[in-house]
PDB file of all heavy atoms in Angstrom:
ATOM      1  N   GLU Y 369       1.105 -18.746 -15.259  1.00 97.00           N
ATOM      2  CA  GLU Y 369       1.172 -19.077 -13.825  1.00 97.00           C
ATOM      3  C   GLU Y 369       1.975 -18.031 -13.045  1.00 97.00           C
ATOM      4  O   GLU Y 369       1.531 -17.545 -12.008  1.00 97.00           O
ATOM      5  CB  GLU Y 369       1.788 -20.468 -13.620  1.00 97.00           C
ATOM      6  CG  GLU Y 369       0.809 -21.586 -13.882  1.00 97.00           C
ATOM      7  CD  GLU Y 369       1.428 -22.973 -13.702  1.00 97.00           C
ATOM      8  OE1 GLU Y 369       2.680 -23.102 -13.707  1.00 97.00           O
ATOM      9  OE2 GLU Y 369       0.661 -23.930 -13.580  1.00 97.00           O
ATOM     10  N   PHE Y 370       3.160 -17.705 -13.562  1.00 98.00           N
ATOM     11  CA  PHE Y 370       3.959 -16.673 -12.883  1.00 98.00           C
ATOM     12  C   PHE Y 370       3.170 -15.364 -12.808  1.00 98.00           C
ATOM     13  O   PHE Y 370       3.165 -14.681 -11.790  1.00 98.00           O
ATOM     14  CB  PHE Y 370       5.285 -16.428 -13.610  1.00 98.00           C
ATOM     15  CG  PHE Y 370       6.371 -17.407 -13.247  1.00 98.00           C
ATOM     16  CD1 PHE Y 370       6.874 -18.310 -14.181  1.00 98.00           C
ATOM     17  CD2 PHE Y 370       6.905 -17.426 -11.970  1.00 98.00           C
ATOM     18  CE1 PHE Y 370       7.878 -19.216 -13.853  1.00 98.00           C
ATOM     19  CE2 PHE Y 370       7.916 -18.321 -11.630  1.00 98.00           C
ATOM     20  CZ  PHE Y 370       8.404 -19.220 -12.577  1.00 98.00           C
ATOM     21  N   GLY Y 371       2.512 -15.027 -13.912  1.00 97.00           N
ATOM     22  CA  GLY Y 371       1.723 -13.794 -13.957  1.00 97.00           C
ATOM     23  C   GLY Y 371       0.652 -13.797 -12.881  1.00 97.00           C
ATOM     24  O   GLY Y 371       0.447 -12.790 -12.201  1.00 97.00           O
ATOM     25  N   SER Y 372      -0.013 -14.934 -12.696  1.00 95.00           N
ATOM     26  CA  SER Y 372      -1.116 -14.893 -11.735  1.00 95.00           C
ATOM     27  C   SER Y 372      -0.616 -14.743 -10.299  1.00 95.00           C
ATOM     28  O   SER Y 372      -1.381 -14.373  -9.421  1.00 95.00           O
ATOM     29  CB  SER Y 372      -2.073 -16.062 -11.938  1.00 95.00           C
ATOM     30  OG  SER Y 372      -1.607 -17.186 -11.277  1.00 95.00           O
ATOM     31  N   LEU Y 373       0.673 -14.980 -10.050  1.00 96.00           N
ATOM     32  CA  LEU Y 373       1.195 -14.721  -8.700  1.00 96.00           C
ATOM     33  C   LEU Y 373       1.103 -13.232  -8.356  1.00 96.00           C
ATOM     34  O   LEU Y 373       0.790 -12.866  -7.230  1.00 96.00           O
ATOM     35  CB  LEU Y 373       2.651 -15.184  -8.561  1.00 96.00           C
ATOM     36  CG  LEU Y 373       2.949 -16.657  -8.808  1.00 96.00           C
ATOM     37  CD1 LEU Y 373       4.428 -16.936  -8.587  1.00 96.00           C
ATOM     38  CD2 LEU Y 373       2.099 -17.547  -7.926  1.00 96.00           C
ATOM     39  N   PHE Y 374       1.415 -12.372  -9.331  1.00 95.00           N
ATOM     40  CA  PHE Y 374       1.321 -10.935  -9.009  1.00 95.00           C
ATOM     41  C   PHE Y 374       0.008 -10.312  -9.461  1.00 95.00           C
ATOM     42  O   PHE Y 374      -0.385  -9.263  -8.972  1.00 95.00           O
ATOM     43  CB  PHE Y 374       2.541 -10.140  -9.515  1.00 95.00           C
ATOM     44  CG  PHE Y 374       2.903 -10.338 -10.965  1.00 95.00           C
ATOM     45  CD1 PHE Y 374       2.277  -9.632 -11.968  1.00 95.00           C
ATOM     46  CD2 PHE Y 374       3.892 -11.253 -11.315  1.00 95.00           C
ATOM     47  CE1 PHE Y 374       2.628  -9.808 -13.301  1.00 95.00           C
ATOM     48  CE2 PHE Y 374       4.247 -11.443 -12.648  1.00 95.00           C
ATOM     49  CZ  PHE Y 374       3.606 -10.720 -13.655  1.00 95.00           C
ATOM     50  N   GLU Y 375      -0.715 -10.989 -10.363  1.00 94.00           N
ATOM     51  CA  GLU Y 375      -2.006 -10.439 -10.777  1.00 94.00           C
ATOM     52  C   GLU Y 375      -3.087 -10.728  -9.726  1.00 94.00           C
ATOM     53  O   GLU Y 375      -4.113 -10.064  -9.687  1.00 94.00           O
ATOM     54  CB  GLU Y 375      -2.428 -11.030 -12.128  1.00 94.00           C
ATOM     55  CG  GLU Y 375      -1.569 -10.514 -13.277  1.00 94.00           C
ATOM     56  CD  GLU Y 375      -1.595 -11.435 -14.492  1.00 94.00           C
ATOM     57  OE1 GLU Y 375      -2.341 -12.426 -14.481  1.00 94.00           O
ATOM     58  OE2 GLU Y 375      -0.848 -11.166 -15.453  1.00 94.00           O
ATOM     59  N   SER Y 376      -2.862 -11.759  -8.900  1.00 87.00           N
ATOM     60  CA  SER Y 376      -3.917 -12.200  -7.989  1.00 87.00           C
ATOM     61  C   SER Y 376      -3.772 -11.630  -6.586  1.00 87.00           C
ATOM     62  O   SER Y 376      -4.592 -11.898  -5.727  1.00 87.00           O
ATOM     63  CB  SER Y 376      -3.888 -13.722  -7.871  1.00 87.00           C
ATOM     64  OG  SER Y 376      -2.715 -14.107  -7.171  1.00 87.00           O
ATOM     65  N   VAL Y 377      -2.729 -10.825  -6.353  1.00 82.00           N
ATOM     66  CA  VAL Y 377      -2.386 -10.530  -4.963  1.00 82.00           C
ATOM     67  C   VAL Y 377      -3.500  -9.811  -4.213  1.00 82.00           C
ATOM     68  O   VAL Y 377      -3.757 -10.090  -3.051  1.00 82.00           O
ATOM     69  CB  VAL Y 377      -1.036  -9.782  -4.859  1.00 82.00           C
ATOM     70  CG1 VAL Y 377      -1.084  -8.447  -5.548  1.00 82.00           C
ATOM     71  CG2 VAL Y 377      -0.615  -9.615  -3.415  1.00 82.00           C
ATOM     72  N   ALA Y 378      -4.197  -8.908  -4.894  1.00 79.00           N
ATOM     73  CA  ALA Y 378      -5.262  -8.189  -4.198  1.00 79.00           C
ATOM     74  C   ALA Y 378      -6.629  -8.799  -4.501  1.00 79.00           C
ATOM     75  O   ALA Y 378      -7.655  -8.288  -4.072  1.00 79.00           O
ATOM     76  CB  ALA Y 378      -5.253  -6.719  -4.597  1.00 79.00           C
ATOM     77  N   ALA Y 379      -6.633  -9.913  -5.251  1.00 79.00           N
ATOM     78  CA  ALA Y 379      -7.915 -10.473  -5.693  1.00 79.00           C
ATOM     79  C   ALA Y 379      -8.612 -11.192  -4.548  1.00 79.00           C
ATOM     80  O   ALA Y 379      -7.993 -11.718  -3.635  1.00 79.00           O
ATOM     81  CB  ALA Y 379      -7.690 -11.432  -6.846  1.00 79.00           C
ATOM     82  N   ILE Y 380      -9.934 -11.201  -4.619  1.00 74.00           N
ATOM     83  CA  ILE Y 380     -10.688 -12.067  -3.730  1.00 74.00           C
ATOM     84  C   ILE Y 380     -11.454 -13.035  -4.627  1.00 74.00           C
ATOM     85  O   ILE Y 380     -11.675 -12.758  -5.799  1.00 74.00           O
ATOM     86  CB  ILE Y 380     -11.664 -11.282  -2.825  1.00 74.00           C
ATOM     87  CG1 ILE Y 380     -12.237 -10.094  -3.597  1.00 74.00           C
ATOM     88  CG2 ILE Y 380     -10.967 -10.809  -1.569  1.00 74.00           C
ATOM     89  CD1 ILE Y 380     -13.265  -9.322  -2.829  1.00 74.00           C
ATOM     90  N   GLY Y 381     -11.834 -14.186  -4.072  1.00 79.00           N
ATOM     91  CA  GLY Y 381     -12.602 -15.137  -4.869  1.00 79.00           C
ATOM     92  C   GLY Y 381     -11.733 -15.900  -5.849  1.00 79.00           C
ATOM     93  O   GLY Y 381     -10.567 -16.177  -5.558  1.00 79.00           O
ATOM     94  N   PRO Y 382     -12.287 -16.230  -7.012  1.00 81.00           N
ATOM     95  CA  PRO Y 382     -11.637 -17.178  -7.935  1.00 81.00           C
ATOM     96  C   PRO Y 382     -10.215 -16.789  -8.334  1.00 81.00           C
ATOM     97  O   PRO Y 382      -9.340 -17.646  -8.421  1.00 81.00           O
ATOM     98  CB  PRO Y 382     -12.542 -17.178  -9.167  1.00 81.00           C
ATOM     99  CG  PRO Y 382     -13.762 -16.427  -8.815  1.00 81.00           C
ATOM    100  CD  PRO Y 382     -13.587 -15.772  -7.503  1.00 81.00           C
ATOM    101  N   ASN Y 383      -9.967 -15.492  -8.538  1.00 83.00           N
ATOM    102  CA  ASN Y 383      -8.621 -15.099  -8.967  1.00 83.00           C
ATOM    103  C   ASN Y 383      -7.579 -15.316  -7.876  1.00 83.00           C
ATOM    104  O   ASN Y 383      -6.432 -15.631  -8.157  1.00 83.00           O
ATOM    105  CB  ASN Y 383      -8.591 -13.643  -9.418  1.00 83.00           C
ATOM    106  CG  ASN Y 383      -9.110 -13.500 -10.830  1.00 83.00           C
ATOM    107  OD1 ASN Y 383      -9.125 -14.478 -11.585  1.00 83.00           O
ATOM    108  ND2 ASN Y 383      -9.569 -12.322 -11.168  1.00 83.00           N
ATOM    109  N   HIS Y 384      -8.002 -15.157  -6.632  1.00 88.00           N
ATOM    110  CA  HIS Y 384      -7.096 -15.444  -5.523  1.00 88.00           C
ATOM    111  C   HIS Y 384      -6.730 -16.934  -5.544  1.00 88.00           C
ATOM    112  O   HIS Y 384      -5.554 -17.304  -5.400  1.00 88.00           O
ATOM    113  CB  HIS Y 384      -7.741 -15.074  -4.194  1.00 88.00           C
ATOM    114  CG  HIS Y 384      -6.909 -15.477  -3.006  1.00 88.00           C
ATOM    115  ND1 HIS Y 384      -5.686 -14.914  -2.733  1.00 88.00           N
ATOM    116  CD2 HIS Y 384      -7.112 -16.426  -2.056  1.00 88.00           C
ATOM    117  CE1 HIS Y 384      -5.184 -15.479  -1.648  1.00 88.00           C
ATOM    118  NE2 HIS Y 384      -6.024 -16.414  -1.219  1.00 88.00           N
TER     119      HIS Y 384
END
Side-chain angles (χ1 to χ4, degrees):
E369 281 179 342
F370 277 114
S372 84
L373 301 182
F374 51 84
E375 289 158 5
S376 69
V377 62
I380 36 176
N383 280 339
H384 174 66

